[in-house]
């Protein structure tokens, strides 16, 4: 509430405490070590402490917290997936998100804006119906809508897309939201820290000690840490960490790029996604258009920007909104995404005992932050996968039981 | 059975894109072709500034395969030694070596070299040579602003210093696969572009869109080739 | 836009190419058990480093191998499959029981 | 009061061309060549905008394309940058981000609320109780953003060109110009880019008072003009550095993607504001901004000013001010030692009082807070960074010029991957490890003396020549001498704050201190928490100061703090420029014009346009599709299938190749017959299916579905390389047209044109041959995809229209009717055929579509076979079955992708469903529980409105063909 603001004005000294301690020297051992101080890793630490009472936990972050994909994504939260398992999982995430500002006592600017996945062809409309039907079945509010409803929600959108790819309709997903991504990481960090979790920034994991198929500890730039449980929550770096335990996965790293416009008075109230045009766009509470596109077409383990990305994206945005011709893009950036063959994550136990994987998030990691933290904490605490993540188990590949998300994935942000 | 006795005239692959311009049409090599768009004086000037001419009607013959070069040589054709280069296969007929083992011959304007080669080719009789059925949309791009136009539609360095006089490049023009080279036609350096005929209307539209902005436009076949 | 050198057509912008994934030697289908085969199909060591990859030059229809550092995105060399100029290339070097000669290499 | 000066030697304005415009409703005039800001400042207008957060009045700060608080709208366009956008006649301008005008902005009260709004306040407020957040959010969103977007702004397409050169030089100051000339003289093709309208960089303002520097500039400009191999782009900025030396250069006209063999970055430096109370008031500006006003636009920055400085540049600023007729009431030097050269004497001679070891403690605002009325000067302890309130001096003035140091304009260097280190000699980050082919010169490289900057340009050019394999002579550059051009800590604390570090986002010193206290004490977290550098100027005047503050807070050397990542773009770049002319390529068959004239409704299939159905006035789509299908069932239909992929597989190993590539057998296929060709990937997933016609022993002709054609051909090429078979592949997709005539009358119609015997005995289902039709060699295939009697004629594509017309004529008496893809989908459904990509998805295996018969598991190898051996051991999870609804069904029509439900479980989905006029009922294909796959079994489909429909599994075809 706004009375909080008065507190700032009345206090002479700035009394706001640290969000989290400045940990420098790790202990010799922890009950669990989490590699990766992004939203997922911090959320797992938070729920380990909160749900399972496991507080003797270290989070190791190579850079600074929230500095990976947590701070690079376009902050969309939704649950309009294709498979019942996917929908249930993300729906649980949306529900956690909805209460998260209160739970973590930090304003995440969780903003329910509604989410339209535009269909420019009959075949895209079929997929929208498929998703809508599955969503409805699981109790998630998604439905197929016509162009009139799209125009009502976003009158500025050129339904013909400059004649190049006329919109036929859309999947409307009412719970679709955006949130302040950094704050999610900070909130979880503060919550975990307050329960005793130690967060080490600028701490690189250099190796993982495995004996007789069991994790023994991790070698870090701050020394050796003994532990029986290690979680890898390092989207973009998963293959590097997996190599430390000699684990091969289907994950390939592709950069995912995004860009942001200069601030303008808010006019775009909804989140728009177009698979055919490879575009997703929303307007932040700062007034910037936050935009992304599909994955880069080849594997690179770096966050370099390319000009072709921004050229392609802007040409499609201008097809949708011709009046933006002279509005300017301020900044572009990139993250590294773990890509799996079936566009679903890999979560749970692995053949290496005590090594848990929270990976393969493709372009959907941010929206899963709370639920991945919660289910991975459960999985680590009980050494068996949470029921919500059964279909995301790694062994599904050798079992030829891939999840069905691939069926609908063109662009799925 | 009622096979018509007259030979059917084909439409150029770019006919669809040209129809709004209502060019004066003629026929060459059994294909309809735009001879003139706006009259000789306009087009002669345009040809010097920036002109786009449809020459899809030129006769072509193409083979590929490990023995293609040898087979063509045996037929008396001069074949370029270097990959991705072009030459005259015979008087009035150019030959493009596309990569290592594919050849495209094209009779310039008219001639029957390609027709004769096609007639003489029997798949079953030649090992290691495969006929490549083609249906190109083909263009001449002429004038002082041609490079300016190409610098928008093609990312390659096409300045004379970079594009050899006999070089053939398979690249993208306006985002689609195309083959490109430069050639001297009636003393004027021009660029030649070939693409799949089904992309022909699109390519014509793109070339025209940019050409018009630069003061150029469509040039009929008659402007380059007086019959 | 990044540049890539096609062994047949020279240096071109990346937009002319398609990425064909990592080149991997297929195990003998009859000599590998289900787990090994599933591993070949699905699992890989995708830690960054120099990888052999398939790339396709669209305008000319040329597949070739690029040795590329996936960390720095630096291309060390490119060559047609089985034609590594250094002779170290193992691609396609395994004797193929049905291999015939006189094949057309660049199409 | 006019601030316009008499003619200045190097001025950029044309005094004979007056430009009239309005700002906030008032009429003004300027000259051609003025920017919006210079014309307003000349007219005595000082409040040019309001700040983003606190709505404080702002004027000129940098006058160098990062005066983000001076953004205007002309009612059409928005967020126009006043400091750099040229003034146009008749412009009607208003400041953005005000409520009620720039002077009376109703939001200015927010400034006095600022104590309530400390850094990161929005994370700590408004979220409890949660139900009220939407209310607060509305208010916050209303306050957000800068300009209002004009939804009627026209779409603008700018050209995007490609340009190639040996060397790109970015920045045409003394070092860039010298570099370009040196490289060009060795024969390199050089592109020289500068964002100003005129070449010269700092020579056009900093040394402008001096005769000798003007001569140097004129000589350089003349030499560049006469050098043919230097291509100059002025009014052009390098937007970013991308891989392999690609730099998009942006001008008003569009973008040129410059691809260079080498790049010299000579982008200079950004002047950085010293930070003191009210350092943002209109009238307080950077020294270089004052110089630009004077020397480029002949505008006096203020009448009586104070110069606060920490380097020699401030002394030159003071001289320029004096030359412009401004009074310099004081020169305040923050350095303990002050300046020690001739400049001091010169200023003293001209009556300027110099205060060494002092600082401006605060700028005193006028009562309306719209300008400066004085400066308070305190002694300054450089070692501790403390202002000493003991001996303060108050000076009346209407402006303050600030020159305390610089930050390198190194964004492009960072993007290229340059390692930067901090030099204590000049208190600046300088390149210490440059990537191959990238070079830096001039002040961005830490070289400040004018002569040495020119030398440094030549040195960089020599390095470029060496990099390109030439042998130029060595050029040496002297190391920096004398005092640092930048002050290490030009910050003055003030109990009232309002000492701004980031003018875009209104961030003050205490915001950094507080952020650090809360744990956001590394540069990246600090950036995110405070939003420093995240505004439209992207930290050009704030990032360096933020680093200095954080270093002080953490008591670390500056280089330990590091920098935030510099991302493109160097300046914000318009959507229309970046998008340019987009290439929306599409393919048309040679019959397209006919379809169009026949009323076809087109759909995109891959790159192709295909008729979905043919429209007729007064008839619905549904009706027309049924009619088209019925024509095929009753007489004959004709469809243009030229879009299908067509590939020739020839040579001695052709059959062997297909045996490995596809799941079926081809070695024993007889010439003149066709076979089904099913393609899997290595995981056993269905990729495509098509037809293989064997036209000769060594010639197979494959048809592939339209959208998979290119990918299947590519895979054929790849596997051919791996298998090294003696095969030639020819993609004839575009070269052949394809017309399909289907229906009971098809034989009679096609028979009118072809001479071969089409009887069932001579040319049965699955027959294929090469023949001549209308004197043209064609391929004729008897197919059964849409009807039991159908012929495909494949002809050279330029003949497509002729054949179409001939077949229409031949069929006229039979009532032949063209049909589109919608009817085709219905027709094949009636025959029970699945469509790959329609009834399958990215994970479907052949067992799930009942395609076992297509799998020759006894072959030695085919792609996907080994995986099928694994999949085949498992239970099938779902099965595609044909189903019907009762003939009398009158409920809601099920749709494709409605789910197959069993209680609470999803068992599958409908993939194709339609009313079949032939079967006279609703028919379809659906994935169901494999236990429910037998004819006669019933399963539940849930329709859009939620009702359950009972469907019955049947056998295909759905109707009796006889």
């Amino acid at each position: 509430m706004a009375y909080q603001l008065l507190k700032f004005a009345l206090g002479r000294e700035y009394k706001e405490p640290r969000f989290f301690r400045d940990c420098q020297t790790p202990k010799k051992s922890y009950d669990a070590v989490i590699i990766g101080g992004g939203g997922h890793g911090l959320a797992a630490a938070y729920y380990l402490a909160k749900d399972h009472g496991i507080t003797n936990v270290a989070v190791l972050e190579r850079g600074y917290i929230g500095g990976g994909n947590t701070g690079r994504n376009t902050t969309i939260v939704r649950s309009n997936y294709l498979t019942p398992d996917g929908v249930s999982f993300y729906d649980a995430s949306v529900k956690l998100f909805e209460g998260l500002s209160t739970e973590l006592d930090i304003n995440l600017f969780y903003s329910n804006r509604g989410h339209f996945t535009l269909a420019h062809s009959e075949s895209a409309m079929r997929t929208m119906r498929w998703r809508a039907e599955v969503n409805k079945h699981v109790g998630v509010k998604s439905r197929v809508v016509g162009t009139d409803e799209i125009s009502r929600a976003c009158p500025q959108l050129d339904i013909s897309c400059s004649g190049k790819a006329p919109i036929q309709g859309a999947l409307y997903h009412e719970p679709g939201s955006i949130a302040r991504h950094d704050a999610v990481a900070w909130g979880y960090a503060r919550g975990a820290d307050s329960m005793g979790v130690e967060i080490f920034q600028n701490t690189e994991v250099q190796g993982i000690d495995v004996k007789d198929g069991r994790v023994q500890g991790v070698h870090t730039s701050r020394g050796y840490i003994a532990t029986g449980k290690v979680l890898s929550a390092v989207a973009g770096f998963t293959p590097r960490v997996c190599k430390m335990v000699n684990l091969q996965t289907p994950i390939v790293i592709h950069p995912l790029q995004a860009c942001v416009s200069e601030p303008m008075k808010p006019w775009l109230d909804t989140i728009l996604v177009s698979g055919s045009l490879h575009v997703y766009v929303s307007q932040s509470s700062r007034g910037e258009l936050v935009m992304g596109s599909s994955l880069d077409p080849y594997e690179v383990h770096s966050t370099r920007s390319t000009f072709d990305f921004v050229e392609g994206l802007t040409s499609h945005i201008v097809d949708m909104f011709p009046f933006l011709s002279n509005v300017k893009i301020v900044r572009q950036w990139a993250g590294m995404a773990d890509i799996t063959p079936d566009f679903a994550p890999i979560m749970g136990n692995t053949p290496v005992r005590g090594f848990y994987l929270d990976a393969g998030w493709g372009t959907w990691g941010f929206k899963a932050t709370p639920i991945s933290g919660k289910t991975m904490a459960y999985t680590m605490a009980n050494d068996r996968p949470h029921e919500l993540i059964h279909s995301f188990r790694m062994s599904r590949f050798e079992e030829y039981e891939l999840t069905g998300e691939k069926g609908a994935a063109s662009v799925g942000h | 059975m009622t096979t018509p006795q007259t030979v059917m005239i084909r439409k150029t692959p770019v006919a669809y894109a040209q129809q709004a311009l209502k060019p004066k049409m003629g026929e060459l090599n059994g294909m309809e072709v735009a001879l003139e768009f706006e009259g000789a004086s306009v087009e002669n000037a345009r040809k010097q500034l920036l002109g786009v001419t449809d020459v899809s009607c030129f006769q072509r013959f193409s083979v590929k395969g490990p023995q293609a070069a040898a087979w063509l040589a045996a037929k008396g054709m001069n074949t370029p030694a270097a990959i991705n280069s072009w030459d005259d296969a015979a008087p009035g007929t150019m030959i493009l070596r596309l990569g290592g083992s594919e050849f495209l011959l094209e009779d310039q304007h008219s001639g029957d070299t390609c027709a004769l080669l096609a007639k003489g080719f029997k798949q079953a009789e030649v090992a290691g040579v495969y006929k490549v059925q083609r249906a190109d949309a083909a263009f001449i791009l002429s004038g002082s602003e041609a490079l300016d136009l190409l610098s928008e539609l093609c990312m390659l360095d096409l300045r004379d210093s970079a594009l050899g006089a006999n070089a053939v490049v398979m690249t993208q023009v306006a985002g689609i696969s195309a083959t490109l080279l430069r050639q001297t036609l009636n003393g004027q350096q021009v660029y030649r572009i070939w693409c799949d005929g089904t992309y022909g209307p699109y390519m014509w539209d793109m070339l025209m869109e940019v050409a018009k902005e630069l003061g150029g436009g469509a040039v009929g076949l008659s402007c380059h080739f007086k019959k | 836009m990044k540049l890539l050198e096609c062994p047949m057509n020279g240096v071109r912008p990346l937009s002319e190419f398609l990425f064909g994934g990592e080149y991997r030697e297929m195990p003998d289908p009859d000599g590998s058990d289900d787990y090994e085969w599933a591993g070949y199909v699905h699992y890989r060591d995708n830690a960054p480093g120099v990888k052999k990859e398939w790339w396709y030059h669209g305008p000319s229809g040329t597949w070739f191998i690029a040795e590329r550092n996936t960390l720095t995105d630096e291309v060390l060399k490119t060559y047609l499959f089985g034609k590594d100029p250094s002779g170290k290339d193992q691609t396609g070097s395994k004797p193929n029981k049905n291999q015939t000669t006189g094949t057309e290499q660049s199409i | 009061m006019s601030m316009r000066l008499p003619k200045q030697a190097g001025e950029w304005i044309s005094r004979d061309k007056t430009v009239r415009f309005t700002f906030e409703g008032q009429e003004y005039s300027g000259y051609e060549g003025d920017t919006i800001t210079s014309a307003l400042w000349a007219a005595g207008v000082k409040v040019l905008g309001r700040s983003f957060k606190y709505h404080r009045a702002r004027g000129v700060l940098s006058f160098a394309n990062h005066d983000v608080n001076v953004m205007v709208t002309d009612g059409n366009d928005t967020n126009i940058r006043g400091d750099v956008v040229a003034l146009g006649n008749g412009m009607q301008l208003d400041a953005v981000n005000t409520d009620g005008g720039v002077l009376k902005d109703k939001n200015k009260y927010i400034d006095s609320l600022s104590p309530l709004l400390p850094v990161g306040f929005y994370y700590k407020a408004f979220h409890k109780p949660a139900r009220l957040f939407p209310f607060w959010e509305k208010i916050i969103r209303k306050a957000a953003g800068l300009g209002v977007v004009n939804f009627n702004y026209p779409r603008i397409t700018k050209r995007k060109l490609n340009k190639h050169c040996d060397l790109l030089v970015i920045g045409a100051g003394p070092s860039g110009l010298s570099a370009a000339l040196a490289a060009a003289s060795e024969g390199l093709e050089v592109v020289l880019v500068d964002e100003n309208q005129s070449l010269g960089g700092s020579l056009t303002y900093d040394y402008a008072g001096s005769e000798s520097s003007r001569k140097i500039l004129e000589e350089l400009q003349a030499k560049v003009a006469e050098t043919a191999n230097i291509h100059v782009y002025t009014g052009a900025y390098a937007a970013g550095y991308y891989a392999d030396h690609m730099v998009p250069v942006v001008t008003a006209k569009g973008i040129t993607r410059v691809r260079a063999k080498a790049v010299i970055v000579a982008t200079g430096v950004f002047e950085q504001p010293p930070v003191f109370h009210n350092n943002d008031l209109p009238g307080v500006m950077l020294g270089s901004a004052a110089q630009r006003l004077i020397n480029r636009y002949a505008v006096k920055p203020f009448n009586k000013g104070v110069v606060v400085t920490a380097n020699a540049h401030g002394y030159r600023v003071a001289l320029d001010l004096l030359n412009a007729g401004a009074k310099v009431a004081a020169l305040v030097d923050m350095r303990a030692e002050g300046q020690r050269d001739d400049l001091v004497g010169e200023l003293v001679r001209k009556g300027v009082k110099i205060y060494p070891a002092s600082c401006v403690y605060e700028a005193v605002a006028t009562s309306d807070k719209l300008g400066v009325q004085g400066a308070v000067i305190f002694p300054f302890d450089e070692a501790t960074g403390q202002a000493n309130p003991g001996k303060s001096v108050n000076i009346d003035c209407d402006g303050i010029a600030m020159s305390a140091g610089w930050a390198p304009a190194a964004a492009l260097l960072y993007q290229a991957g340059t390692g930067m280190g901090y030099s204590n000699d000049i208190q600046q980050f300088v390149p210490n490890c440059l990537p191959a082919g990238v070079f830096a010169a001039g002040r961005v490289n830490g070289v400040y003396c004018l002569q040495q900057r020119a030398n440094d340009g030549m040195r960089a050019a020599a390095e470029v020549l060496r990099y390109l394999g030439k042998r130029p002579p060595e050029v040496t550059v002297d190391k920096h001498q004398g005092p640092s051009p930048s002050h290490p800590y030009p910050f003055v604390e003030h109990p009232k704050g309002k000492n701004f570090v980031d003018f875009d986002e209104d961030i003050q010193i205490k915001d950094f201190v507080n952020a650090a206290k809360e744990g956001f004490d590394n540069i990246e977290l600090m950036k995110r928490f405070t939003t420093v550098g995240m505004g439209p100027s992207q930290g050009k005047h704030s990032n360096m100061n933020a680093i200095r503050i954080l270093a002080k807070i953490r008591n670390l050397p500056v280089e330990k703090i590091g920098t935030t990542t510099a991302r493109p773009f160097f300046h914000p770049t318009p959507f229309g420029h970046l998008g340019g002319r987009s290439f929306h390529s599409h393919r048309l068959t040679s019959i397209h014009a006919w379809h169009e004239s026949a009323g076809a409704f087109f759909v995109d299939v891959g790159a192709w346009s295909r008729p979905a159905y043919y429209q007729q006035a007064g008839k619905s789509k549904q009706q027309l599709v049924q009619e088209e299908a019925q024509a095929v069932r009753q007489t004959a239909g004709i469809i243009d299938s030229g879009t299908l992929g067509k590939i020739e597989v020839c040579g001695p190993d052709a059959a062997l190749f297909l045996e490995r590539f596809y799941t079926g057998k081809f070695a024993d296929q007889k010439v003149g017959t066709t076979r089904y060709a099913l393609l899997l990937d290595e995981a056993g997933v269905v990729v495509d299916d098509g037809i293989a016609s064997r036209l000769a022993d060594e010639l197979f002709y494959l048809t592939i579905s339209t959208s998979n054609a290119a990918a299947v051909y590519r895979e054929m090429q790849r596997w051919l390389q791996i298998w090294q078979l003696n095969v030639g592949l020819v993609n004839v997709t575009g070269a052949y047209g394809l017309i399909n005539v289907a229906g009971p009358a098809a034989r009679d119609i096609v028979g009118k044109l072809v001479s071969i015997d089409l009887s069932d005995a001579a040319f049965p289902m699955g027959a294929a041959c090469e023949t001549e039709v209308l004197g043209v060699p064609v391929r004729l295939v008897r197919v059964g995809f849409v009807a039991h009697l159908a012929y495909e004629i494949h002809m050279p594509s330029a003949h497509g229209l002729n054949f179409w017309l001939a077949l229409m004529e031949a069929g006229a008496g039979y009532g032949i009717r063209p049909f589109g893809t919608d009817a085709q989908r219905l027709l094949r459904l009636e025959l029970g055929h699945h469509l790959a990509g329609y009834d399958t998805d990215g994970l479907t295996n052949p067992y799930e579509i009942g395609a076992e018969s297509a799998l020759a598991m006894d072959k030695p190898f085919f792609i996907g076979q080994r995986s099928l051996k694994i999949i085949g051991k498992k239970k099938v999870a779902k099965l595609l079955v044909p189903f019907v609804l009762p003939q009398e069904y009158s409920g809601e029509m099920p749709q494709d992708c409605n789910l197959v439900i069993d209680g609470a479980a999803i068992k599958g989905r409908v993939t194709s469903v339609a009313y079949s006029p032939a079967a006279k009922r609703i028919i379809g294909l659906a994935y169901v529980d494999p236990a429910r796959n037998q004819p006669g079994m019933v399963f539940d489909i849930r329709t859009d409105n939620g009702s359950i429909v009972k469907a019955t599994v049947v056998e295909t075809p759905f109707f009796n063909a006889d």
Side-chain angles (χ1 to χ4, degrees), chain A residues 278-332:
Chain A
H278 306 291
V279 159
Y280 48 98
V281 55
S282 66
Q283 191 170 16
S284 75
S285 53
R286 286 170 54 85
E288 299 160 329
L289 294 178
V290 182
M291 294 162 286
S293 176
S294 50
L295 289 161
D296 282 10
Y298 68 102
E299 178 187 357
V300 191
H301 297 251
S302 84
T303 54
R304 90 281 182 272
S305 296
T306 69
F307 194 56
D308 1 338
F309 153 74
V310 79
E311 288 182 286
L313 178 78
T314 49
S315 88
H316 290 137
I317 293 273
V318 176
D319 285 344
M320 293 163 72
F321 304 108
F323 59 87
L324 290 178
S325 288
N326 219 25
V327 167
K328 300 180 185 83
I329 304 278
V330 169
R331 183 172 68 250
Q332 64 172 132

Side-chain angles (χ1 to χ4, degrees), chain B residues 64-66 83-84 99-102 130 154-156 168-172 177-179, chain C residues 1 7-13 15-17 57-60 102-107:
Chain B
K64 72 194 286 189
I83 62 169
N84 293 322
S101 54
E102 182 168 344
Y130 310 110
C154 178
M155 293 184 91
L156 296 198
V168 171
V169 287
M170 288 181 279
T171 181
Q172 285 182 333
S177 291
T179 300
Chain C
M1 186 176 287
M8 292 300 288
N9 294 279
V11 176
R12 297 301 175 86
S15 54
E16 296 193 1
F17 297 92
H57 181 243
S60 67
T103 185
E104 179 185 5
Q105 188 46 251
S106 60
I107 16 182

Side-chain angles (χ1 to χ4, degrees), chain D residues 359-553:
Chain D
C359 65
V360 171
Y361 178 66
E362 65 173 88
V364 183
T366 53
S367 56
D368 57 7
K369 294 188 176 178
L370 299 178
V372 181
Q373 64 171 15
V376 179
I377 297 169
F378 276 19
F380 183 67
D381 184 341
E382 203 186 3
T384 62
Q386 291 298 314
N388 176 0
K391 296 177 278 179
S392 68
V393 180
N394 290 357
I395 293 178
D396 289 348
C397 63
D398 65 344
I400 297 173
M402 313 179 281
S403 294
W406 314 88
L412 295 166
L413 289 172
Y414 280 114
Q415 287 161 29
T418 305
M420 302 279 286
Y422 192 74
S423 159
N424 284 308
D425 292 346
I426 57 170
Q427 302 292 339
Q428 179 182 320
F429 282 101
V430 290
N432 60 16
C433 184
L434 287 155
V438 177
F439 305 88
R443 289 192 290 178
V444 73
N445 196 32
V447 178
Y448 272 78
C449 156
L450 178 57
Q451 183 52 51
Q452 295 305 319
R453 281 155 71 189
N455 272 359
D456 203 35
M458 289 185 267
R459 184 229 13 112
E463 287 191 24
V464 167
L465 290 163
R466 253 192 302 283
Y467 173 73
L468 297 176
K470 305 196 177 198
R471 292 169 174 276
E474 204 72 44
V475 181
T476 54
V477 179
D478 293 346
K479 208 171 142 31
H480 181 78
Q481 306 276 327
S484 164
S486 291
H487 195 277
Y489 199 72
F491 302 91
V492 181
E493 304 264 357
H494 194 289
K496 288 186 181 160
K498 298 290 160 65
N499 37 15
F500 288 96
V501 176
D502 188 313
F503 291 64
D504 294 22
E505 306 267 317
D506 281 348
I507 305 167
Q508 316 164 45
I509 296 178
K510 67 165 190 200
D511 292 329
F512 294 93
V513 175
N514 293 343
K517 279 185 185 164
E518 292 196 50
F520 299 92
D521 54 1
N522 70 56
I523 190 68
E524 290 284 359
L525 283 181
M526 180 164 273
K527 171 182 170 178
R528 282 163 172 73
F529 192 67
T530 62
T531 70
V532 66
M534 288 171 78
S537 76
Q538 292 286 287
K540 290 187 176 71
H541 63 256
S542 60
N543 278 349
M544 192 60 226
N545 278 344
I547 291 166
R548 294 191 195 283
I549 294 171
L550 183 57
K552 178 96 164 181
I553 291 171

Side-chain angles (χ1 to χ4, degrees), chain B residues 163-223:
Chain B
L163 178 66
N166 284 90
V168 171
V169 287
M170 288 181 279
T171 181
Q172 285 182 333
V173 176
I176 60 163
S177 291
T179 300
L180 190 147
L181 55 79
R182 66 184 166 101
Q183 177 191 33
T184 302
L185 180 63
N186 306 322
Q188 184 187 18
Q189 176 165 308
V190 301
Y191 294 87
R192 293 290 314 276
I193 299 171
W194 292 261
C195 69
D196 190 289
T198 60
Y199 279 115
Y202 164 75
M203 182 66 91
W204 173 266
D205 286 344
M206 289 309 298
L207 292 171
M208 290 302 291
E209 186 179 315
V210 182
K212 280 183 193 161
E213 284 177 23
L214 298 177
V219 167
L221 189 74
S222 309
C223 195

